[in-house]
Amino acid sequence: MDCPVHRVSMGDPWSRRVHPDIASERHTQSFDVERLTNILDGGARNTALRRKVESIIHSDPVFNLKDNYFMSQNERYEASVQKKFHIQKIAERLGWLQDSHELHYASRTLSGDLALGLHYIFVKALKSLGSDEQIAKWVPLCNNFQIIATYAQTELGHGTYLQGLETEATYDADTQEFVLHSPSITAIKWWPGDLGRSATHALVQAQLMCSGARRGMHAFIVPVRSLQDHTPLPGITVGDIGPKMGFEQTDNGFLRLDHVRVPRENMLSRFAQVLPDGTYIKLGTPQSNYLSMVVTRVELLLGEITPLLQKACVIAIRYSVIRRQSQLRPSDPEAKVLDYQTQQQKLFPQLATAYAFHFLAKNLLEFFHRSYNAILNRDFSLLPELHALSSGIKAMVADFCTQGAELCRRACGGHGYSKLSGLPSLVTRVTASCTYEGENTVLYLQTARFLIKSYLQAQASPGATLQRSFPQSVAYLTAPDLARCPAQRAADFLHPEVYTKAWAHVAVRLIKDSVHHLQTLQQSGADRHEAWNQTNVIHLQAAKAHCYYVTVKSFTEALEKLANEPAIQQALKRLCDLYTLHGILSNAGDFLHDGFLSGAQVDMVRTAYLDLLRLIRKDAISLTDAFDFTDQCLNSALGCYDGNAYERLFHWAQKSPTNTQGNPAYEKYIRPLLQSWRPKL
């Protein structure tokens, strides 16, 4: 059996034949894998375009990722800059526009192993927060790489709590300049990607001081390095923060500002302006300046975080049909480890989660696009819901993808610990998502504030009028609630209406409970800030239940749109069922707490859940193939399409510099140690 050309790109001699254990998995497919790939890509034309870009990238040896595992931090950085340079040359030659599908697919093909990623965060922030004049001036400079920019928000002493940022921008009316300054060591900007060695400009988030008043966080374009020789400019101390857990290719940096002056026009001014005389004009809400973070948060879900779990699932599930271990019956040959229910229970919930998050992120992206233009035109009515949804969903996706990728790694046994499996790199990369663009606990609590406000609003103004004006993501707070689950047998828990209402019930109860505890503490004399702190854990639980409900609802709605694809719909419905029931079993106490589910019903959920593992087993390889990651994109000895994991792992290990560059420790230490004992022998 031959491998499809678009999937195989490692150039290994054995890639022309497929391991029989994985070939048998593809022999009888219950649905059209290519069609599911098209659906995930948003259409067959997108699939074709993506594969065309992949073909261009894979045909150029500059973009080979195989040596990544053997490189130092400096080598990784230089290689990622080289790749970025070549991508830009290809884009210019082929007419690929900035922010185009082609460049997005190029980044996907290279697993994001490109320098200057924060350059585009700068551009998105500029388009969100800048005036039309500022956009017209700075975006072309960025697109043509006349400058290299980064986004500098996090400080040594502050991260997610933006109001606590210490960097100051004081307006000097005499010169019509802002003076940017780091007043303490904790005010040093810390972590911005591309700042350590690459960027010439930074979008610095700082506390604005003008006319003797503090005006909150605003964004300022600050030159940091000379465009002639790349040396730091006067008043700038800049460098790399050193070794990290992952992202070796990225030069995360620090920036200390010593009374650095920039023109008045360098403050982004779509939502706020400072006039020449120092008069401050507010054109938006206090939350307007956070819009750039919302933009990044939404786009990261599909572009960065969810694909990491998808890749981990591909690698672990493919390897699990190649790896054989023990016997199911004494007379049988060793079984594929994926045939064991325990392995299925480790991996299939992660696969279901990867699909659930794909449709969830698509949903959020559609809502974002509906809201964004209105916000730019200073209609902020949808901003609170967008902020709450993007915060909670980002936190949940990052949490679950991090846990899921690690479970996939561990499910591959000892080989999963090898960097050559590709899994450790996925784990360290996705782990960072729990912190960047907002630490997850803080983000969940942002969602919780919105939920409490929405719940109190629903209680104060019940009725049809409220339902029409209520934010869609919390409309279930106004719906009639079931006191008991009506399911009478295991099969009933496979009805989306049954399990969606179950999750809605638990979310409502937990939100109501969080409001009750908050109000009780305040009534007993605690001020609202202390009461909030003393109930944070309860709010967190409510926010997580809400996000799970939103995910279940979005998955079921995606399934409804696949009525004309019955085979695909059935395969995905099993994943939706599994995702939902896995959540119920993992949080059974929340469903049992008020008697919504009985113990007997939880047993029914478990029966339905275990039956789903068996049904999903036959589609597991097809469901991972549908993600359509090329071998080079996966960069995994264990997860290649052809299934020849052992040959590839042995071959790659032999190419390690530790096997090709000799052993200097032998001459220095091992040989003298051995020889010191020779006379006695």
Side-chain angles (χ1 to χ4, degrees):
M1 178 179 176
D2 293 332
C3 292
V5 173
H6 69 267
R7 294 186 192 275
V8 179
S9 51
M10 305 305 288
D12 297 322
W14 49 80
S15 290
R16 300 188 183 281
R17 58 179 175 78
V18 178
H19 193 289
D21 281 347
I22 204 166
S24 65
E25 300 284 332
R26 299 185 178 115
H27 186 64
T28 53
Q29 297 175 335
S30 69
F31 62 88
D32 185 341
V33 174
E34 180 72 4
R35 179 65 191 131
L36 179 52
T37 297
N38 297 159
I39 291 167
L40 295 174
D41 282 337
R45 291 179 63 181
N46 286 344
T47 301
L49 178 61
R50 173 174 55 74
R51 288 176 181 163
K52 181 180 178 183
V53 171
E54 288 168 350
S55 177
I56 292 168
I57 298 299
H58 293 330
S59 66
D60 191 329
V62 166
F63 299 115
N64 193 332
L65 299 175
K66 271 200 292 188
D67 292 334
N68 279 6
Y69 299 127
F70 308 120
M71 289 182 178
S72 67
Q73 183 181 351
N74 280 338
E75 290 170 334
R76 285 290 306 277
Y77 166 72
E78 183 176 349
S80 70
V81 175
Q82 181 191 30
K83 290 184 183 77
K84 182 63 185 177
F85 175 82
H86 278 267
I87 284 285
Q88 286 307 122
K89 293 300 179 186
I90 291 171
E92 290 169 14
R93 188 177 78 246
L94 299 179
W96 295 352
L97 301 176
Q98 296 299 332
D99 212 21
S100 64
H101 283 302
E102 288 89 347
L103 283 176
H104 166 73
Y105 292 144
S107 178
R108 179 191 192 269
T109 305
L110 293 168
S111 301
D113 191 42
L114 294 166
L116 312 186
L118 270 287
H119 185 75
Y120 298 103
I121 303 294
F122 174 97
V123 173
K124 291 180 189 301
L126 178 62
K127 290 179 177 179
S128 299
L129 304 177
S131 66
D132 292 342
E133 294 78 13
Q134 289 169 325
I135 292 169
K137 174 183 177 179
W138 292 99
V139 169
L141 296 176
C142 293
N143 287 347
N144 296 327
F145 283 90
Q146 292 171 265
I147 65 171
I148 294 172
T150 186
Y151 181 87
Q153 178 172 291
T154 299
E155 296 174 353
L156 198 52
H158 284 92
T160 304
Y161 180 57
L162 303 185
Q163 296 175 45
L165 295 179
E166 297 178 71
T167 303
E168 298 170 349
T170 305
Y171 183 64
D172 183 347
D174 293 336
T175 61
Q176 294 191 34
E177 293 174 315
F178 292 103
V179 182
L180 283 102
H181 183 61
S182 307
S184 67
I185 190 168
T186 50
I188 296 171
K189 295 297 181 185
W190 198 268
W191 281 110
D194 307 327
L195 176 62
R197 305 168 76 175
S198 308
T200 63
H201 289 66
L203 187 64
V204 175
Q205 294 284 4
Q207 302 290 351
L208 170 62
M209 315 281 194
C210 68
S211 302
R214 186 182 177 102
R215 302 293 183 178
M217 189 183 73
H218 291 69
F220 302 83
I221 298 174
V222 181
V224 296
R225 287 187 175 93
S226 164
L227 291 174
Q228 277 67 51
D229 61 8
H230 211 58
T231 55
L233 293 171
I236 299 288
T237 303
V238 65
D240 189 280
I241 65 170
K244 310 175 294 285
M245 185 173 169
F247 281 92
E248 296 94 339
Q249 78 279 8
T250 303
D251 55 321
N252 296 87
F254 59 79
L255 174 65
R256 189 169 197 168
L257 300 157
D258 185 3
H259 298 94
V260 175
R261 289 178 173 266
V262 299
R264 182 177 65 90
E265 294 78 12
N266 281 30
M267 185 184 98
L268 299 192
S269 56
R270 179 176 293 276
F271 300 119
Q273 295 176 2
V274 175
L275 301 183
D277 65 357
T279 301
Y280 179 74
I281 300 175
K282 185 169 69 174
L283 302 171
T285 69
Q287 291 75 35
S288 304
N289 285 324
Y290 302 160
L291 180 60
S292 59
M293 290 187 69
V294 173
V295 173
T296 304
R297 208 174 279 150
V298 170
E299 295 186 348
L300 277 170
L301 298 177
L302 270 179
E304 167 70 13
I305 306 174
T306 302
L308 297 172
L309 178 59
Q310 292 172 345
K311 289 178 185 178
C313 289
V314 173
I315 294 167
I317 290 174
R318 284 180 179 172
Y319 178 61
S320 292
V321 301
I322 299 303
R323 181 74 173 190
R324 288 180 174 270
Q325 193 158 304
S326 303
Q327 300 158 302
L328 288 169
R329 298 179 185 84
S331 59
D332 287 352
E334 286 192 277
K336 297 178 178 181
V337 294
L338 198 61
D339 288 336
Y340 291 101
Q341 190 183 62
T342 50
Q343 188 78 345
Q344 295 167 13
Q345 198 270 337
K346 291 175 187 175
L347 295 179
F348 293 169
Q350 314 320 318
L351 180 61
T353 299
Y355 271 93
F357 286 173
H358 172 85
F359 294 115
L360 175 68
K362 286 268 191 186
N363 236 12
L364 180 60
L365 194 60
E366 289 171 8
F367 177 58
F368 167 75
H369 287 313
R370 293 197 303 272
S371 313
Y372 185 64
N373 286 333
I375 294 168
L376 291 183
N377 291 316
R378 301 182 184 131
D379 173 2
F380 303 107
S381 57
L382 292 175
L383 184 56
E385 184 180 18
L386 179 61
H387 171 65
L389 264 180
S390 65
S391 296
I393 289 173
K394 181 269 177 182
M396 183 181 69
V397 169
D399 270 350
F400 278 66
C401 287
T402 299
Q403 295 163 17
E406 171 62 9
L407 280 168
C408 288
R409 187 197 66 75
R410 287 158 63 180
C412 291
H415 294 329
Y417 196 70
S418 168
K419 275 194 174 183
L420 303 183
S421 72
L423 290 162
S425 301
L426 293 174
V427 171
T428 54
R429 185 167 183 131
V430 74
T431 298
S433 71
C434 294
T435 309
Y436 63 57
E437 296 309 318
E439 193 277 332
N440 285 354
T441 299
V442 176
L443 292 184
Y444 276 130
L445 291 174
Q446 293 287 317
T447 302
R449 287 187 186 276
F450 176 76
L451 294 175
I452 290 170
K453 184 178 179 181
S454 299
Y455 179 82
L456 292 173
Q457 185 182 348
Q459 294 301 301
S461 309
T465 304
L466 175 68
Q467 287 182 2
R468 285 194 295 270
S469 62
F470 216 52
Q472 282 300 299
S473 61
V474 289
Y476 68 97
L477 293 176
T478 66
D481 187 29
L482 284 174
R484 297 286 183 273
C485 178
Q488 296 180 346
R489 53 200 178 96
D492 293 340
F493 283 102
L494 301 180
H495 293 298
E497 185 180 3
V498 170
Y499 56 61
T500 304
K501 285 185 176 178
W503 271 105
H505 171 85
V506 165
V508 170
R509 184 184 65 76
L510 290 172
I511 294 166
K512 180 181 178 181
D513 191 44
S514 73
V515 171
H516 170 73
H517 279 82
L518 188 65
Q519 291 176 334
T520 300
L521 272 178
Q522 289 178 299
Q523 289 163 5
S524 68
D527 66 45
R528 63 188 180 91
H529 303 292
E530 180 62 20
W532 175 258
N533 184 46
Q534 292 301 320
T535 51
N536 267 352
V537 172
I538 301 170
H539 302 317
L540 199 67
Q541 191 180 12
K544 289 180 178 181
H546 165 75
C547 292
Y548 212 104
Y549 161 76
V550 169
T551 310
V552 170
K553 188 167 181 290
S554 114
F555 205 161
T556 58
E557 288 172 351
L559 290 174
E560 290 169 6
K561 297 173 185 175
L562 294 173
N564 295 328
E565 308 275 358
I568 289 174
Q569 186 184 52
Q570 182 185 57
L572 293 186
K573 183 183 178 297
R574 288 170 180 160
L575 292 180
C576 182
D577 296 344
L578 189 78
Y579 174 79
T580 307
L581 300 187
H582 182 76
I584 292 174
L585 291 172
S586 301
N587 301 275
D590 291 333
F591 293 83
L592 291 164
H593 180 86
D594 62 346
F596 180 79
L597 288 185
S598 66
Q601 285 176 315
V602 172
D603 287 342
M604 294 174 199
V605 171
R606 184 179 61 189
T607 298
Y609 172 81
L610 295 176
D611 285 346
L612 284 166
L613 296 178
R614 177 176 50 80
L615 294 171
I616 292 168
R617 167 65 185 89
K618 65 186 179 63
D619 288 329
I621 290 297
S622 296
L623 287 164
T624 52
D625 284 351
F627 292 136
D628 206 35
F629 292 114
T630 62
D631 287 351
Q632 182 163 333
C633 178
L634 288 173
N635 201 22
S636 167
L638 300 187
C640 283
Y641 186 84
D642 59 34
N644 295 309
Y646 299 129
E647 293 88 342
R648 192 167 282 105
L649 191 57
F650 182 52
H651 181 66
W652 286 14
Q654 291 178 84
K655 290 191 171 183
S656 170
T658 56
N659 291 319
T660 60
Q661 295 178 3
N663 183 3
Y666 173 75
E667 291 296 335
K668 290 180 181 178
Y669 309 111
I670 296 176
R671 183 176 179 179
L673 183 65
L674 291 170
Q675 289 179 343
S676 68
W677 293 98
R678 190 166 295 171
K680 297 179 182 179
L681 295 173

